[in-house]
Amino acid sequence: MLVCTVAILLLENLARLMELLQHVRDPLTLLAKSSFYLLPEYLGIGLLVALFLSIALAIRTLSLHGEWQIFAAAGITPVRLCLIPFLLGMACATIELGIHFQFRPAAEYRLDSLFSDVRRGLYGFGGNFGEIIQLDDTTVMTADGFERSTGRLAHIFIAQRGTVYTARSAFISLDGNGDIYLLLEQGQSIVPRRSDHFDAVSFGRLRIRLARTEPDPGHRPDTAFDRLAYRELMRHIGLEREADMGTRKALASFASRCAYAAIALLLPFLALALGALPVRGRSPYGIGAGILAIVGYIRLVAYVETAAATHPIAGFGFLVGGYGSAIAMIWRAECRHGPGSVETWLATRLARPIAARIARFQTHFRTA
C-alpha cells in the first residue's frame, strides 16, 4: 500500500519534471535524482494512507468473515481491540517525526540545489527559457528557445561586466569544468567607454567564453523554513522569540510537522470505526470517507501553517483538537451502537441520498 501510494504521488509531478529536464544532458539520470529527493515528502503522506488502509482493510476482512462481530459478542472491550493498532500508530508517528524533521528538509534542499544547477546550465543550457540565468557575480544570460535537433539557441542576450551581447542565434557547448562556449550569429555587442559613451559593433559570427564560478561549498543560501532540519529550526524559533516578531513562521513550521505525527496517533481509531462492516454489508463508504479525511487534514495543515503564522500553537491546537474530537465521536458511536454502525450511517444518510440526487439530476438533464 505504501509503495503504491508513493508511486501515484510521484506520477503526479512526473510531467512537470520531464518538461523542466527535457533539454538537459542525461535527463533520465536527473529525473531519477529529483524523484529520489521527492521520496521523503511523499513517504510522509503515503505512510498515513497506508496506516489507515492497512488497519481498515484488516478489520473489513474480519467483518466479512464474521470474526469482528464475534469479538464484540464475546465481550472483548474496544480498548483491548485497539491496543495493537495504536502501537502501530505510535511507530508511524515516530517515523513521521524523523521524516519531517530530518530527511525531508535535507532532500528538499538537495532538490533545490539540483534545479538551481539545471537553471545555471551545469547540465546543459536548456531549462527555463525566458528566465535570466545568473552564471556568476558579473554575468547573466537568457535565451528565448532551443532547437534540440540543431543545438541552436534563439534570440540570446548576455550581459558581462558592462558589456552586452545580443544575437539572433547561437551554438552552445560546455567543457569539463562547466564553462560555456558560445558561437554567436547575426548580432551586436555594446561596450561601454569613458564619459558615458559606448561602442556598438555588429558581427556575423563571434565566439565567446563564459567562465562560470562555482558557489562556495561552505555557504548555504537563505532557505524557506520547510528546508530547515530540527536544530536549525529550533535556532530560528529562539531568534523569533528573542526578536518578539509579529509572525512566528519557524514555530508554525515546527507545529505543522508535529501535526503529521498527531494524526498518525489518531488514525488507528478512525480506521477501526470506519473499517468495520454491518452484517452482510459490503459498502466502500467508510474507506472512502477515511481517505478524504486524511487528504483534507493534509491540506488544512498546509493552510494553517500560512494562515495562523501569528498564533501557530492556537491554530494547530484547534486543527488537531477538532479532528481528534470528531474521531472520538465516531469511535464512541461505533462502540455504542455496534460493529458497522458508522458504515451504515454513512450509507443511509450521506452516500445513498447523494447518489439519488445525482440520478435525478441526470434523468432531468436527459429529458430536458
Side-chain angles (χ1 to χ4, degrees), residues 291-311:
I291 294 177
L292 289 177
I294 296 172
V295 173
Y297 182 85
I298 294 172
R299 295 294 185 183
L300 286 174
V301 166
Y303 173 76
V304 173
E305 182 179 359
T306 304
T310 53
H311 302 285

Side-chain angles (χ1 to χ4, degrees), residues 359-368:
R360 286 197 299 268
F361 175 79
Q362 289 177 343
T363 302
H364 177 74
F365 181 78
R366 290 174 182 175
T367 55

